[in-house]
Amino acid sequence: MKTTKSLYSYTLVWPALAIYTVFFVVPALIGFYYSFTDWRLDRLEISFVGWDNFKRIFTDDTLILAMKNTFIFAIATVIGKNVLGIALAVALNMKLKSRNFLRAIFYSPSILSVLVISIIFTPLLRTEGAVNGILSAIGLSSLNQAWLTDPSIVIWTIAGVSIWQHTGFQMAIYLAGLQSISKDYYEAATIDGAGSWKSFRYITLPLLLPAININLMLTLIGGLKVFSEVFVLTGGGPGNASQVVGTIILRTFGEGAWGLGTAINTLLFVAVTLISIPLLLFMRRKEVAE
């Protein structure tokens, strides 16, 4: 009887596993092979070149800049989305009359198309745009910047736009976590004389770890795979100042250097795996410990 149940469970799993293998595992393995070749659009023959593509990645200034920008974007958005997400969730978990309306307002940007975000923010962030106009109107003209054309700040500007758009999504996950915490814990803490900060530090944060874990993974992987925000706001410019790994992959494939483009994509996959899995295991251990 136990054998029958075991076989039945495998019967349910195999179709999904087969689809995943055909459409994800096999293409990934094929891509891994081609990353070690000189596969190009203008060549009929494909030759094995070993590590040449990867050596080129780490000696090309534009590719190195793209990797640096990708990590800057990922770190900035992970911190920004999660810190603001928790703050908004805590604030909107209180008994405010307008909390449902405010939740909808803060969440709504996350459902907008990136193209719509580009149409909204491109004119706002111009040198003569509304953002600099508002700063000048309130006496902060010294803070005026060429937000999308200054190479030193453009990647931070794009990260800020991404934080604005997606923080509401993280807020929704944190709200779900907060609403699953029993009020009894806070009542007991109040009786023991704990203030708001101690209640947040020793009750809210530990019990919110599953939601924090989910959001860290989502924002980290999303940050390392960034493409759309950069593509629609700057296209990687000015010059190559805001290039990220995703836009470099697109450009490389567009130039017909498919072997190199596959190598960059493989490197991105390895980087995401090496960063996200240890972080996931660490956060899971923290969950168990708490």
Short mmCIF file of all heavy atoms in Angstrom, two decimals, residues 62-99:
data_model
loop_
_atom_site.label_atom_id
_atom_site.label_comp_id
_atom_site.label_asym_id
_atom_site.label_seq_id
_atom_site.Cartn_x
_atom_site.Cartn_y
_atom_site.Cartn_z
N THR A 62 33.87 48.08 -20.39
CA THR A 62 32.42 48.27 -20.41
C THR A 62 31.71 47.15 -19.66
O THR A 62 30.75 47.39 -18.90
CB THR A 62 31.90 48.33 -21.86
OG1 THR A 62 32.54 49.39 -22.54
CG2 THR A 62 30.40 48.56 -21.89
N LEU A 63 32.19 45.91 -19.84
CA LEU A 63 31.58 44.78 -19.15
C LEU A 63 31.83 44.86 -17.64
O LEU A 63 30.94 44.56 -16.84
CB LEU A 63 32.14 43.47 -19.71
CG LEU A 63 31.73 43.13 -21.15
CD1 LEU A 63 32.48 41.91 -21.65
CD2 LEU A 63 30.23 42.89 -21.23
N ILE A 64 33.01 45.30 -17.25
CA ILE A 64 33.32 45.46 -15.82
C ILE A 64 32.43 46.54 -15.22
O ILE A 64 31.90 46.39 -14.12
CB ILE A 64 34.81 45.78 -15.63
CG1 ILE A 64 35.66 44.57 -16.02
CG2 ILE A 64 35.09 46.19 -14.18
CD1 ILE A 64 37.15 44.85 -16.03
N LEU A 65 32.26 47.66 -15.95
CA LEU A 65 31.37 48.73 -15.48
C LEU A 65 29.94 48.23 -15.35
O LEU A 65 29.24 48.56 -14.38
CB LEU A 65 31.42 49.91 -16.45
CG LEU A 65 30.47 51.08 -16.16
CD1 LEU A 65 30.79 51.70 -14.81
CD2 LEU A 65 30.54 52.12 -17.27
N ALA A 66 29.49 47.41 -16.31
CA ALA A 66 28.13 46.85 -16.25
C ALA A 66 27.94 45.98 -15.02
O ALA A 66 26.90 46.04 -14.36
CB ALA A 66 27.84 46.07 -17.53
N MET A 67 28.94 45.16 -14.70
CA MET A 67 28.85 44.32 -13.50
C MET A 67 28.83 45.17 -12.24
O MET A 67 28.05 44.90 -11.31
CB MET A 67 30.01 43.33 -13.47
CG MET A 67 29.90 42.22 -14.52
SD MET A 67 31.15 40.92 -14.34
CE MET A 67 32.59 41.76 -15.00
N LYS A 68 29.66 46.22 -12.22
CA LYS A 68 29.67 47.13 -11.06
C LYS A 68 28.31 47.80 -10.89
O LYS A 68 27.76 47.85 -9.77
CB LYS A 68 30.76 48.18 -11.26
CG LYS A 68 30.81 49.22 -10.16
CD LYS A 68 31.84 50.30 -10.49
CE LYS A 68 31.78 51.44 -9.47
NZ LYS A 68 32.75 52.52 -9.80
N ASN A 69 27.74 48.30 -11.99
CA ASN A 69 26.42 48.95 -11.93
C ASN A 69 25.34 47.99 -11.49
O ASN A 69 24.42 48.37 -10.74
CB ASN A 69 26.06 49.53 -13.30
CG ASN A 69 26.81 50.80 -13.62
OD1 ASN A 69 27.30 51.48 -12.73
ND2 ASN A 69 26.93 51.12 -14.90
N THR A 70 25.43 46.74 -11.94
CA THR A 70 24.44 45.74 -11.55
C THR A 70 24.46 45.52 -10.05
O THR A 70 23.40 45.46 -9.40
CB THR A 70 24.70 44.40 -12.29
OG1 THR A 70 24.64 44.63 -13.70
CG2 THR A 70 23.67 43.35 -11.90
N PHE A 71 25.64 45.40 -9.46
CA PHE A 71 25.74 45.19 -8.02
C PHE A 71 25.31 46.43 -7.24
O PHE A 71 24.66 46.31 -6.20
CB PHE A 71 27.17 44.78 -7.64
CG PHE A 71 27.48 43.34 -7.94
CD1 PHE A 71 28.32 43.01 -8.99
CD2 PHE A 71 26.91 42.31 -7.20
CE1 PHE A 71 28.59 41.68 -9.29
CE2 PHE A 71 27.18 40.98 -7.49
CZ PHE A 71 28.03 40.66 -8.53
N ILE A 72 25.65 47.62 -7.75
CA ILE A 72 25.19 48.85 -7.09
C ILE A 72 23.67 48.90 -7.09
O ILE A 72 23.03 49.19 -6.06
CB ILE A 72 25.77 50.09 -7.80
CG1 ILE A 72 27.26 50.21 -7.54
CG2 ILE A 72 25.04 51.37 -7.33
CD1 ILE A 72 27.93 51.33 -8.34
N PHE A 73 23.07 48.63 -8.24
CA PHE A 73 21.61 48.64 -8.36
C PHE A 73 20.99 47.62 -7.41
O PHE A 73 20.02 47.91 -6.72
CB PHE A 73 21.20 48.35 -9.80
CG PHE A 73 19.72 48.35 -10.03
CD1 PHE A 73 19.07 49.52 -10.42
CD2 PHE A 73 18.96 47.20 -9.85
CE1 PHE A 73 17.70 49.54 -10.63
CE2 PHE A 73 17.59 47.20 -10.05
CZ PHE A 73 16.95 48.37 -10.44
N ALA A 74 21.55 46.40 -7.39
CA ALA A 74 20.99 45.34 -6.55
C ALA A 74 21.05 45.70 -5.07
O ALA A 74 20.06 45.57 -4.34
CB ALA A 74 21.74 44.02 -6.80
N ILE A 75 22.19 46.19 -4.61
CA ILE A 75 22.34 46.55 -3.19
C ILE A 75 21.42 47.69 -2.82
O ILE A 75 20.73 47.66 -1.79
CB ILE A 75 23.81 46.90 -2.89
CG1 ILE A 75 24.70 45.66 -3.03
CG2 ILE A 75 23.94 47.49 -1.48
CD1 ILE A 75 26.19 45.96 -3.00
N ALA A 76 21.38 48.72 -3.67
CA ALA A 76 20.53 49.89 -3.38
C ALA A 76 19.06 49.51 -3.33
O ALA A 76 18.33 49.96 -2.42
CB ALA A 76 20.76 50.98 -4.43
N THR A 77 18.61 48.69 -4.26
CA THR A 77 17.19 48.34 -4.31
C THR A 77 16.80 47.35 -3.21
O THR A 77 15.70 47.43 -2.68
CB THR A 77 16.80 47.77 -5.68
OG1 THR A 77 17.68 46.70 -6.04
CG2 THR A 77 16.86 48.85 -6.75
N VAL A 78 17.70 46.44 -2.88
CA VAL A 78 17.41 45.50 -1.77
C VAL A 78 17.21 46.28 -0.47
O VAL A 78 16.23 46.06 0.26
CB VAL A 78 18.55 44.47 -1.61
CG1 VAL A 78 18.42 43.74 -0.27
CG2 VAL A 78 18.50 43.45 -2.74
N ILE A 79 18.11 47.21 -0.20
CA ILE A 79 18.00 48.00 1.04
C ILE A 79 16.78 48.91 0.98
O ILE A 79 15.97 48.95 1.91
CB ILE A 79 19.29 48.82 1.27
CG1 ILE A 79 20.48 47.89 1.52
CG2 ILE A 79 19.11 49.77 2.45
CD1 ILE A 79 21.81 48.61 1.58
N GLY A 80 16.65 49.66 -0.12
CA GLY A 80 15.56 50.63 -0.22
C GLY A 80 14.19 49.99 -0.17
O GLY A 80 13.31 50.42 0.59
N LYS A 81 13.96 48.95 -0.97
CA LYS A 81 12.64 48.33 -1.03
C LYS A 81 12.25 47.67 0.29
O LYS A 81 11.08 47.73 0.70
CB LYS A 81 12.60 47.29 -2.15
CG LYS A 81 12.67 47.89 -3.55
CD LYS A 81 12.75 46.80 -4.60
CE LYS A 81 12.93 47.39 -5.99
NZ LYS A 81 13.05 46.34 -7.04
N ASN A 82 13.22 47.06 0.96
CA ASN A 82 12.89 46.35 2.19
C ASN A 82 12.74 47.27 3.40
O ASN A 82 11.83 47.11 4.20
CB ASN A 82 13.93 45.26 2.46
CG ASN A 82 13.76 44.07 1.55
OD1 ASN A 82 12.88 43.25 1.73
ND2 ASN A 82 14.60 43.97 0.53
N VAL A 83 13.62 48.25 3.51
CA VAL A 83 13.51 49.20 4.63
C VAL A 83 12.21 50.00 4.51
O VAL A 83 11.44 50.11 5.47
CB VAL A 83 14.73 50.14 4.69
CG1 VAL A 83 14.50 51.25 5.70
CG2 VAL A 83 15.98 49.35 5.05
N LEU A 84 11.96 50.56 3.32
CA LEU A 84 10.73 51.33 3.13
C LEU A 84 9.50 50.43 3.18
O LEU A 84 8.44 50.83 3.67
CB LEU A 84 10.78 52.07 1.79
CG LEU A 84 11.79 53.22 1.69
CD1 LEU A 84 11.81 53.79 0.29
CD2 LEU A 84 11.47 54.31 2.70
N GLY A 85 9.63 49.20 2.67
CA GLY A 85 8.51 48.27 2.70
C GLY A 85 8.07 47.93 4.12
O GLY A 85 6.87 47.92 4.42
N ILE A 86 9.05 47.68 4.99
CA ILE A 86 8.72 47.40 6.39
C ILE A 86 8.12 48.63 7.06
O ILE A 86 7.13 48.54 7.79
CB ILE A 86 9.98 46.94 7.16
CG1 ILE A 86 10.41 45.55 6.69
CG2 ILE A 86 9.73 46.91 8.66
CD1 ILE A 86 11.68 45.03 7.34
N ALA A 87 8.71 49.80 6.79
CA ALA A 87 8.21 51.04 7.41
C ALA A 87 6.77 51.30 7.00
O ALA A 87 5.91 51.63 7.85
CB ALA A 87 9.10 52.21 7.01
N LEU A 88 6.47 51.16 5.72
CA LEU A 88 5.10 51.37 5.25
C LEU A 88 4.15 50.32 5.81
O LEU A 88 3.01 50.64 6.20
CB LEU A 88 5.06 51.33 3.72
CG LEU A 88 5.63 52.54 2.98
CD1 LEU A 88 5.67 52.26 1.48
CD2 LEU A 88 4.78 53.79 3.25
N ALA A 89 4.59 49.08 5.87
CA ALA A 89 3.73 48.01 6.40
C ALA A 89 3.39 48.25 7.86
O ALA A 89 2.22 48.10 8.26
CB ALA A 89 4.43 46.66 6.22
N VAL A 90 4.38 48.64 8.65
CA VAL A 90 4.13 48.92 10.07
C VAL A 90 3.17 50.10 10.22
O VAL A 90 2.22 50.06 11.02
CB VAL A 90 5.46 49.20 10.81
CG1 VAL A 90 5.18 49.71 12.22
CG2 VAL A 90 6.30 47.93 10.86
N ALA A 91 3.40 51.15 9.43
CA ALA A 91 2.54 52.34 9.53
C ALA A 91 1.11 52.03 9.10
O ALA A 91 0.15 52.47 9.74
CB ALA A 91 3.11 53.46 8.67
N LEU A 92 0.96 51.25 8.03
CA LEU A 92 -0.38 50.98 7.50
C LEU A 92 -1.03 49.76 8.13
O LEU A 92 -2.12 49.36 7.73
CB LEU A 92 -0.30 50.81 5.98
CG LEU A 92 0.18 52.04 5.22
CD1 LEU A 92 0.20 51.80 3.73
CD2 LEU A 92 -0.70 53.25 5.54
N ASN A 93 -0.36 49.18 9.12
CA ASN A 93 -0.98 48.11 9.91
C ASN A 93 -1.68 48.67 11.14
O ASN A 93 -2.35 47.95 11.87
CB ASN A 93 0.08 47.08 10.33
CG ASN A 93 -0.53 45.78 10.81
OD1 ASN A 93 -1.47 45.26 10.21
ND2 ASN A 93 -0.01 45.25 11.90
N MET A 94 -1.49 49.98 11.35
CA MET A 94 -2.14 50.64 12.49
C MET A 94 -3.61 50.93 12.15
O MET A 94 -4.02 50.85 11.00
CB MET A 94 -1.41 51.95 12.82
CG MET A 94 0.03 51.76 13.25
SD MET A 94 0.87 53.34 13.54
CE MET A 94 2.51 52.78 13.97
N LYS A 95 -4.35 51.29 13.15
CA LYS A 95 -5.79 51.53 12.96
C LYS A 95 -6.03 52.95 12.43
O LYS A 95 -6.49 53.84 13.16
CB LYS A 95 -6.53 51.31 14.28
CG LYS A 95 -6.49 49.85 14.74
CD LYS A 95 -7.26 49.65 16.04
CE LYS A 95 -7.23 48.19 16.47
NZ LYS A 95 -7.97 47.97 17.74
N LEU A 96 -5.73 53.13 11.16
CA LEU A 96 -5.98 54.41 10.51
C LEU A 96 -7.24 54.30 9.67
O LEU A 96 -7.48 53.27 9.02
CB LEU A 96 -4.80 54.77 9.60
CG LEU A 96 -3.42 54.90 10.26
CD1 LEU A 96 -2.36 55.09 9.19
CD2 LEU A 96 -3.40 56.04 11.25
N LYS A 97 -8.05 55.35 9.66
CA LYS A 97 -9.29 55.31 8.87
C LYS A 97 -9.01 55.17 7.37
O LYS A 97 -9.78 54.54 6.65
CB LYS A 97 -10.11 56.58 9.13
CG LYS A 97 -10.71 56.64 10.53
CD LYS A 97 -11.56 57.89 10.70
CE LYS A 97 -12.19 57.94 12.08
NZ LYS A 97 -13.04 59.15 12.27
N SER A 98 -7.91 55.76 6.94
CA SER A 98 -7.61 55.76 5.50
C SER A 98 -6.60 54.68 5.12
O SER A 98 -6.04 54.72 4.03
CB SER A 98 -7.05 57.12 5.10
OG SER A 98 -5.89 57.43 5.84
N ARG A 99 -6.36 53.68 5.98
CA ARG A 99 -5.29 52.73 5.72
C ARG A 99 -5.51 51.89 4.45
O ARG A 99 -4.58 51.62 3.72
CB ARG A 99 -5.06 51.81 6.93
CG ARG A 99 -6.22 50.90 7.27
CD ARG A 99 -5.86 50.05 8.47
NE ARG A 99 -6.97 49.16 8.82
CZ ARG A 99 -6.91 48.26 9.79
NH1 ARG A 99 -5.80 48.13 10.49
NH2 ARG A 99 -7.95 47.49 10.06
#
